[in-house]
Amino acid sequence: MDCRYCHSFVEHGSQANVPSANVCWNCHGPNKVQSDNPKLSPLYAAMGIDQATGAEMTPVPLEWVRVHKAPDYVYFNHSAHVNRGVSCQSCHGDVNNMKVVHHEESLTMGWCLDCHRNPEEHLRPIEEVTNLDYDVEEYLKANPIKDAEGNAIETQTEFGAFLKAHWNVKPKESCATCHR
């Protein structure tokens, strides 16, 4: 499932946003995906329905558990990364394979700087940024690309370097980039 279905602002703003109960309800409402799962009772309550009985009740807002949080002194813009070919998986891990979403990467300053210094390892085509099943080798087999010398690009590092040059990606490393 595309990350943007739930996190609809990720391409347009600094925040990835948390979906409203209505967005969740589109897939998890009655007679839909795992609609009888008791873990969805907070969603039913948010929609004003007692999951066990189906009776109407006063809606109770969903209380989301925040998994990823940068410290208050750090500014991170999701859209700046997503719109330059950095996948959600680079920071959040393989959320599509997690039983319970958890904090996969350290997200420390050093970890972020490593990526800014070597973005080649994380860049992918914009149309593949939210594809959680993306495989660079499969992509390059289906979409052959040659470097400036005419050699076939075959690895993530080569493809990332190509995309970095093609898009003129120059990640900043100054303190003011993240500390505002």
Side-chain angles (χ1 to χ4, degrees):
M1 187 167 146
D2 191 312
C3 308
R4 295 169 296 186
Y5 183 78
C6 301
H7 302 289
S8 55
F9 302 157
V10 74
E11 294 175 295
H12 310 290
S14 62
Q15 301 296 317
N17 74 291
V18 175
S20 69
N22 287 329
V23 171
C24 303
W25 193 248
N26 289 336
C27 294
H28 294 292
N31 302 316
K32 294 184 180 172
V33 178
Q34 293 192 2
S35 59
D36 59 347
N37 187 329
K39 291 181 180 179
L40 291 175
S41 63
L43 173 59
Y44 277 76
M47 299 306 292
I49 300 170
D50 181 282
Q51 185 182 21
T53 66
E56 287 188 31
M57 58 185 272
T58 303
V60 179
L62 280 173
E63 291 186 34
W64 290 101
V65 175
R66 187 158 201 159
V67 177
H68 295 87
K69 182 171 182 358
D72 289 341
Y73 54 84
V74 173
Y75 174 75
F76 179 86
N77 186 322
H78 276 85
S79 67
H81 291 79
V82 170
N83 291 320
R84 278 304 201 184
V86 179
S87 172
C88 310
Q89 288 176 313
S90 290
C91 301
H92 297 289
D94 291 328
V95 293
N96 54 322
N97 294 318
M98 294 179 187
K99 273 193 171 279
V100 175
V101 176
H102 59 273
H103 205 134
E104 182 79 11
E105 301 293 346
S106 69
L107 306 183
T108 62
M109 185 171 84
W111 182 85
C112 294
L113 282 170
D114 285 345
C115 186
H116 275 232
R117 290 175 181 145
N118 298 298
E120 299 85 354
E121 298 304 318
H122 300 280
L123 298 178
R124 57 171 76 173
I126 300 296
E127 69 272 12
E128 298 294 338
V129 166
T130 59
N131 177 358
L132 301 180
D133 295 319
Y134 171 79
D135 180 285
V136 67
E137 291 177 8
E138 287 179 24
Y139 181 87
L140 291 170
K141 283 179 187 171
N143 306 282
I145 299 172
K146 296 187 185 279
D147 63 18
E149 289 82 39
N151 300 313
I153 292 175
E154 298 176 342
T155 68
Q156 174 59 47
T157 302
E158 293 169 347
F159 193 32
F162 172 84
L163 293 172
K164 180 181 174 185
H166 183 71
W167 293 333
N168 197 27
V169 172
K170 295 179 181 174
K172 296 177 183 174
E173 294 180 42
S174 67
C175 300
T177 303
C178 304
H179 301 284
R180 296 179 177 189

